[in-house]
Amino acid sequence: MDTSLLDAVRHHADVHAGADGAARTPIPGLTAIRATGRTELSYQIARPLVCLVLQGAKHVTMGRQSFTFRAGDSLLITADVPTVSQIVEASLAAPYYSLVMDLDPAVIAGLATEMAAVAQADDAPVQIETTDSHVADAALRLMRLLERPASLPVLQGSLVRELHYWLLAGRHGAAIRRLGVPDSRVRRIARAVALLRTEYAQRLPVERLAAVAGMSPSAFHQHFRAVTSLSPLQFQKQLRLIEARRLMLADGVNASNAAFTVGYESVQQFTREYGRMFGMPPVREVAAAYGRLHAAA
């Protein structure tokens, strides 16, 4: 890994990282990440992205698959999938640093029309690979634009496009290319996922989701599980529980109000399902989280 990219990310993240460790940039979709210690488990529905780890290590679990990636590795996610992640190697002396770029289907679609087709790749939505030197170089030049803000409107588009090009030209280019095909299975399921993300607190019949994806209900159910590893109902449940957890831990909302806000009609059912996903009932987890904060203070 080119240490100059690490230096550029370190410089930006050390100055701009918030309490969550994320240092967003003026370039849409580009974020530097910093952590000075092992983090707690993070539950989220990840969007398609590439994450370049520059220092330290991170562990990611999707379904029954687990990955540990460290400096010199890239994590590639090519579908909206539920993940559990944790930074496992970081310290004050040697913080964890990474650079995350959201994958843009419109950019991918434009490039795919100009590039030769590539061999089919593994359909798995989460992949680990060694960071390509061309990807790292394009990322470095993007980071250097931040030092000259006047250059951003003129140059950022071409460099974002170049970074996507090198990803498409790489080993998992076929999987990435499907993000740019409007009628691909991944894009059709993504339309249903977008509706789930927006209306997760509402009742969403599978027929409505299937119609958004342009599939029959039976085909939709099959393809949804193949892309996300979950059924539509399980996916919506995880969205609800993740948002409820955020409301309680970040906004101080009590368990009952969080349950009703995200669409549960029964606090008992919410408590039961929350415990299955996060390992303990909501009231106990919030108390434990506050206890850790007070201990750290």
Side-chain angles (χ1 to χ4, degrees):
M1 176 61 61
D2 187 344
T3 56
S4 56
L5 177 56
L6 170 59
D7 291 340
V9 170
R10 178 191 290 119
H11 176 73
H12 181 77
D14 286 354
V15 174
H16 299 286
D20 61 353
R24 290 160 184 82
T25 75
I27 300 170
L30 186 68
T31 305
I33 306 294
R34 176 181 186 268
T36 57
R38 188 184 183 96
T39 63
E40 296 182 15
L41 295 176
S42 173
Y43 299 80
Q44 59 186 313
I45 306 293
R47 299 179 187 274
L49 58 81
V50 61
C51 174
L52 284 59
V53 176
L54 306 171
Q55 185 166 283
K58 189 171 189 176
H59 188 77
V60 175
T61 299
M62 189 208 74
R64 297 180 180 177
Q65 293 182 296
S66 291
F67 311 84
T68 297
F69 61 119
R70 52 189 70 248
D73 293 336
S74 290
L75 170 72
L76 184 66
I77 298 179
T78 57
D80 297 75
V81 292
T83 61
V84 182
S85 62
Q86 182 179 34
I87 293 170
V88 295
E89 189 177 302
S91 66
L92 282 171
Y96 168 90
Y97 291 104
S98 66
L99 186 65
V100 177
M101 168 62 81
D102 294 341
L103 297 178
D104 188 330
V107 173
I108 293 168
L111 286 167
T113 62
E114 302 175 41
M115 297 174 65
V118 294
Q120 289 298 308
D122 186 349
D123 276 343
V126 178
Q127 305 277 355
I128 301 290
E129 64 178 10
T130 301
T131 300
D132 181 86
S133 60
H134 297 295
V135 171
D137 179 62
L140 173 59
R141 284 181 281 125
L142 266 174
M143 291 301 296
R144 284 178 172 166
L145 291 186
L146 303 182
E147 300 169 6
R148 296 191 173 185
S151 69
L152 288 172
V154 179
L155 299 177
Q156 72 178 39
S158 60
L159 285 176
V160 167
R161 190 171 187 271
E162 181 186 342
L163 192 152
H164 280 71
Y165 171 86
W166 291 119
L167 290 170
L168 279 165
R171 183 158 59 96
H172 301 297
I176 298 170
R177 182 182 290 252
R178 286 193 284 271
L179 289 170
V181 179
D183 203 40
S184 71
R185 182 182 68 181
V186 171
R187 287 291 297 279
R188 292 165 78 181
I189 294 300
R191 293 199 291 269
V193 168
L195 178 61
L196 279 165
R197 285 183 181 274
T198 303
E199 300 186 23
Y200 63 86
Q202 310 302 317
R203 291 183 180 273
L204 290 171
V206 70
E207 290 79 9
R208 183 182 174 196
L209 294 168
V212 169
M215 300 177 181
S216 69
S218 59
F220 171 74
H221 198 280
Q222 177 186 350
H223 291 313
F224 192 96
R225 183 179 285 278
V227 170
T228 69
S229 79
L230 298 173
S231 71
L233 183 60
Q234 290 170 329
F235 194 97
Q236 184 180 34
K237 184 186 297 182
Q238 289 208 7
L239 279 170
R240 287 177 169 182
L241 291 171
I242 288 169
E243 175 60 13
R245 188 172 190 261
R246 186 197 67 78
L247 288 170
M248 290 186 294
L249 295 178
D251 296 346
V253 177
N254 67 40
S256 297
N257 286 337
F260 294 132
T261 298
V262 302
Y264 277 88
E265 297 177 356
S266 163
V267 175
Q268 290 78 13
Q269 182 185 3
F270 167 71
T271 300
R272 185 168 57 250
E273 293 180 352
Y274 190 101
R276 287 199 196 109
M277 182 166 176
F278 299 117
M280 65 177 71
V283 173
R284 271 178 50 199
E285 195 199 20
V286 171
Y290 285 151
R292 288 191 295 271
L293 282 175
H294 289 312

